[in-house]
Amino acid sequence: MTQVLIIDTHPVQYRAPIYQDLARYDGVSLTVAYYNDASVRGYRDVEFQREVKWNMPLLSGYSHEVLLPGREDTRDTFWGFKGIEVGKVLSKHKPDLVIIHSVNHWVGIRFALAARLRGIACWLRVETQDEAFIRRSSLKQTVRSLGYRAIYSLFNGAFCFGELNRRHLVAHGFKPSQLVMTRFSTVDKAAGLSATEKSTRARALRERLGISAESVVVAAFGKLIPKKDPETVIKACIALAATTGRDVTCLLVGSGALEEDLRSRYAQAPGIRLVLTGFINQDEIGDYYLASDVVVLASRREGEVWGLVCNEALQAGCALAMSEAVGAAPEFGHRERCGIFAIGDVAALTTLLQKLCLFERDYNWASGFMQDYSTEAAASGLASVARLVRRREG
């Protein structure tokens, strides 16, 4: 039995299902140690501009420990999350394998240092990549790389989220032989539904939102903040309607600082229907994807290391348009019903939408390749390293 200890900042809706899958593997005894559990108890999300409490089971199905219970925020500074006694945590759980999900805080690096000193196998699983922000100066890049190399030298290996993450890990010290691919994964919210059931759910939601069955629904999901650039999506929808003569609905699913401004300025947008839903929680959001034809992630180069919206859109069979700043673009951009456009380029996005809107709705067109981005596939990658550690110790 391999004792696996995962160190994570807080319960996250796309990571907890992986832990639930991993806990079911024979030969793996899993515990997840969280710095805090504010995402379960509820906290104020500054970017959503509201209280957020995910309404899905994030702590069931696996053993866990909250190291700093009662905190009111999931975030902290590099030197934050004080009060976590790293040595006591390792002594309590006696892991054979430690997996660390963040080195953005000193406490995560302390866990890696302590594991190395105790001879415990220690693996890294971070979402970091080098294309998420505007290019830094040569000096800053050099200093940043030196820092990563020093930190990454503490680890026996790393799990890759995707191609850009793999390139980052290799560029900053890991050998390709030290890497195991566990792609960015999300739960398929429509798994188990037939095409007829999916169509029925989509039709019912459209009726509730006042959207006709004939309307082309171009949707953006996420926080309505400058980083996500929802205004480019609205402008492209207006241009799409003008150039094609089609009935176009622009569906913005989420909340944030730009919500009221967009609502007031585009309430009478020419040629389209604009629907702003506000914040939608996890148990309902799947139907919004089913009701959409094309999903757009128009992010600027301000830290979009992946874009889980891309996974959820493809699992629902939507066509997908991504800005070149989206971390998932190299993964999906070459697919038949996907495309990439330049950041903030309304004309380029409009041209792409014209192409993507020609496809007949097919809820299952991406189901084959999306198996590689399932939580089960990610858990399998983690389990493979746990088995490797057990064999070496045996």
Side-chain angles (χ1 to χ4, degrees):
M1 181 72 70
T2 305
Q3 303 292 328
V4 178
L5 176 64
I6 294 179
I7 307 298
D8 206 342
T9 54
H10 61 283
V12 178
Q13 76 272 25
Y14 59 86
R15 291 205 290 261
I18 299 173
Y19 306 155
Q20 293 162 350
D21 289 335
L22 180 60
R24 289 191 282 268
Y25 272 80
D26 291 336
V28 173
S29 176
L30 173 66
T31 300
V32 181
Y34 290 113
Y35 299 164
N36 72 92
D37 61 348
S39 56
V40 175
R41 292 181 292 102
Y43 68 103
R44 180 164 183 80
D45 188 292
V46 176
E47 293 180 328
F48 271 130
Q49 291 200 330
R50 56 161 287 144
E51 190 80 9
V52 172
K53 182 179 180 181
W54 299 114
N55 59 0
M56 61 183 292
L58 299 180
L59 292 176
S60 64
Y62 61 95
S63 175
H64 65 274
E65 178 182 6
V66 179
L67 303 177
L68 296 174
R71 281 182 58 95
E72 296 181 358
D73 196 342
T74 60
R75 304 169 303 168
D76 210 335
T77 64
F78 177 78
W79 301 107
F81 295 115
K82 295 179 179 178
I84 295 176
E85 298 183 77
V86 171
K88 285 188 176 181
V89 174
L90 294 179
S91 296
K92 175 181 178 181
H93 296 287
K94 297 180 175 57
D96 302 303
L97 170 64
V98 174
I99 300 173
I100 295 177
H101 257 289
S102 174
V103 288
N104 291 334
H105 309 97
W106 174 235
V107 65
I109 300 171
R110 285 171 54 212
F111 269 109
L113 281 166
R116 185 178 181 88
L117 290 172
R118 295 177 183 221
I120 302 170
C122 189
W123 279 61
L124 180 68
R125 191 169 190 256
V126 294
E127 301 170 23
T128 312
Q129 45 110 323
D130 296 327
E131 306 297 326
F133 294 93
I134 296 172
R135 184 66 64 182
R136 303 168 177 85
S137 69
S138 296
L139 177 59
K140 287 185 178 179
Q141 289 184 63
T142 299
V143 172
R144 179 173 176 268
S145 183
L146 289 172
Y148 278 130
R149 284 179 176 273
I151 294 170
Y152 292 171
S153 68
L154 301 173
F155 293 88
N156 299 92
F159 300 99
C160 306
F161 270 81
E163 176 56 25
L164 292 183
N165 179 234
R166 186 197 66 79
R167 294 178 197 171
H168 163 83
L169 294 168
V170 171
H172 301 295
F174 282 103
K175 298 175 183 178
S177 60
Q178 292 179 285
L179 304 179
V180 171
M181 187 64 77
T182 55
R183 292 177 173 87
F184 193 103
S185 59
T186 52
V187 174
D188 185 348
K189 295 176 175 57
L193 296 179
S194 67
T196 300
E197 290 170 321
K198 292 175 182 179
S199 180
T200 299
R201 284 174 175 263
R203 185 169 56 251
L205 181 62
R206 284 193 175 210
E207 289 176 359
R208 182 155 63 86
L209 296 176
I211 301 172
S212 71
E214 295 74 28
S215 186
V216 175
V217 177
V218 178
F221 290 73
K223 300 170 181 177
L224 299 181
I225 56 178
K227 168 185 170 180
K228 300 290 187 180
D229 197 11
E231 190 166 11
T232 287
V233 182
I234 297 174
K235 290 179 177 179
C237 285
I238 294 171
L240 177 66
T243 55
T244 64
R246 299 188 66 173
D247 180 348
V248 176
T249 297
C250 183
L251 176 65
L252 301 185
V253 183
S255 60
L258 299 179
E259 182 174 358
E260 291 308 315
D261 177 61
L262 295 174
R263 192 187 301 275
S264 62
R265 288 198 294 118
Y266 290 99
Q268 305 300 321
I272 69 167
R273 174 181 174 82
L274 177 63
V275 178
L276 293 97
T277 67
F279 178 81
I280 303 296
N281 217 320
Q282 294 296 296
D283 61 343
E284 298 179 63
I285 202 165
D287 287 353
Y288 286 80
Y289 283 105
L290 294 175
S292 304
D293 296 301
V294 183
V295 170
V296 181
L297 186 54
S299 303
R300 298 172 180 171
R301 208 173 291 281
E302 298 176 16
E304 193 70 81
V305 293
W306 184 268
L308 66 84
V309 165
C310 299
N311 294 54
E312 294 178 331
L314 293 171
Q315 286 171 331
C318 302
L320 177 63
M322 299 163 284
S323 81
E324 59 192 352
V326 174
E331 307 282 325
F332 303 129
H334 65 286
R335 298 291 179 178
E336 181 185 25
R337 301 188 183 204
C338 300
I340 303 170
F341 62 94
I343 299 167
D345 191 332
V346 174
L349 176 55
T350 302
T351 300
L352 179 56
L353 291 177
Q354 290 169 348
K355 171 191 170 185
L356 296 178
C357 287
L358 295 177
F359 288 102
E360 185 177 348
R361 192 67 167 87
D362 180 355
Y363 295 107
N364 299 313
W365 79 268
S367 59
F369 67 85
M370 285 306 294
Q371 292 302 311
D372 290 338
Y373 300 86
S374 66
T375 59
E376 294 86 358
S380 177
L382 300 181
S384 70
V385 173
R387 287 193 293 268
L388 179 64
V389 169
R390 184 168 67 247
R391 285 200 300 270
R392 286 179 177 174
E393 291 185 345

